[in-house]
Amino acid sequence: MKDIDAIAVLQDPVRRRLYEYVAAQGREVGRNEAAEAVGVARTLAAHHLDRLTGAGLLESGSRRLTGRSGPGAGRPAKVYTRARVERSVSLPARDYRTAAELLAEAAEQAGLDAGLCVAARRRGESLRGAAAPCGGLDEAVELLAARGYEPHLEQGEGSETGQGAVVRMRNCPFHAVAERFPPLVCGMNLALLEGLIGTDGPVRARMDARPGECCVVVEASKNNEH
């Protein structure tokens, strides 16, 4: 299916809400849960979820939602997660990814990592404008959501100290290039977010890569931990 056809599947408002809900969870979602979340009947949710799967926007599988196994555990239920494939449409056709990969390759070969980070931090500061450094984790979530990072607040064990909360991000806006040039692009991403949220406020960005998520997390600055 062409990207434009796949994206067109989201035109239906119920289907789009179901997709957005599944994508936001970062885990497998069953039909009952999805139906309840968007306020539709299970049969209608199942129809739309399967359409999204057929379009390649979701992936489906099956497992027992009770967490039990063996006799009496119940039949496996169908579950859904967001597909890893990236979809994009440009009219007329553009190929920014190739340009980004060529620039990243040249920067890596020329050892321009430090210069790239300086430019990225400056860009982050420019995006923040005259605003003060990010005032807290809730504000960081809003700021990162607006940039497409799909942040979520994770309690407890996410921080270096093992205490407090940490903002993790389910999406890396630079994913395609980061896969080919991880040190270069992840370093750029960290510098960009340092400029965006500030380095002298109550929160900070740091590197903490985890499979399937952005390589950067945001947490309370050490001088603000109690």
Side-chain angles (χ1 to χ4, degrees):
M1 177 177 286
K2 294 180 180 179
D3 284 1
I4 192 169
D5 295 326
I7 293 172
V9 171
L10 295 173
Q11 184 175 3
D12 182 277
V14 173
R15 200 173 298 146
R16 183 165 184 172
R17 293 205 308 273
L18 284 165
Y19 172 79
E20 289 173 344
Y21 178 78
V22 173
Q25 304 315 302
R27 57 173 172 79
E28 294 177 329
V29 175
R31 288 171 167 175
N32 287 339
E33 178 187 348
E36 184 176 349
V38 303
V40 299
R42 181 184 184 280
T43 52
L44 181 60
H47 166 73
H48 285 307
L49 289 166
D50 287 339
R51 281 290 305 276
L52 289 164
T53 302
L57 296 170
L58 297 181
E59 294 176 354
S60 64
S62 61
R63 66 177 177 86
R64 289 188 173 90
L65 298 179
T66 61
R68 303 194 306 270
S69 60
R75 295 170 55 189
K78 201 164 187 178
V79 291
Y80 303 84
T81 56
R82 179 168 59 182
R84 297 294 299 169
V85 64
E86 183 177 318
R87 303 282 187 179
S88 62
V89 175
S90 176
L91 298 173
R94 298 287 188 261
D95 190 6
Y96 300 113
R97 179 184 297 182
T98 297
E101 290 177 348
L102 287 171
L103 289 168
E105 183 177 357
E108 188 173 75
Q109 291 178 353
L112 299 178
D113 305 54
L116 178 61
C117 287
V118 169
R121 191 172 291 106
R122 190 163 54 239
R123 174 58 64 91
E125 292 169 351
S126 176
L127 291 170
R128 177 158 53 96
C134 191
L137 294 181
D138 288 339
E139 185 179 333
V141 167
E142 293 183 9
L143 193 63
L144 294 165
R147 303 298 306 175
Y149 283 91
E150 299 183 3
H152 63 103
L153 201 58
E154 186 175 277
Q155 299 291 338
E157 58 188 5
S159 69
E160 286 179 338
T161 60
Q163 299 177 349
V166 62
V167 177
R168 292 189 176 273
M169 295 164 263
R170 294 194 176 100
N171 182 49
C172 171
F174 317 109
H175 173 73
V177 187
E179 278 195 317
R180 288 196 58 189
F181 308 95
L184 181 77
V185 178
C186 290
M188 178 200 75
N189 188 28
L190 174 61
L192 177 70
L193 292 181
E194 285 176 339
L196 184 64
I197 70 173
T199 56
D200 54 354
V203 299
R204 64 165 183 162
R206 66 174 175 86
M207 201 77 76
D208 187 12
R210 195 161 77 174
E213 296 189 349
C214 177
C215 58
V216 179
V217 299
V218 177
E219 65 182 4
S221 300
K222 287 187 176 181
N223 56 358
N224 284 277
E225 293 176 350
H226 300 286

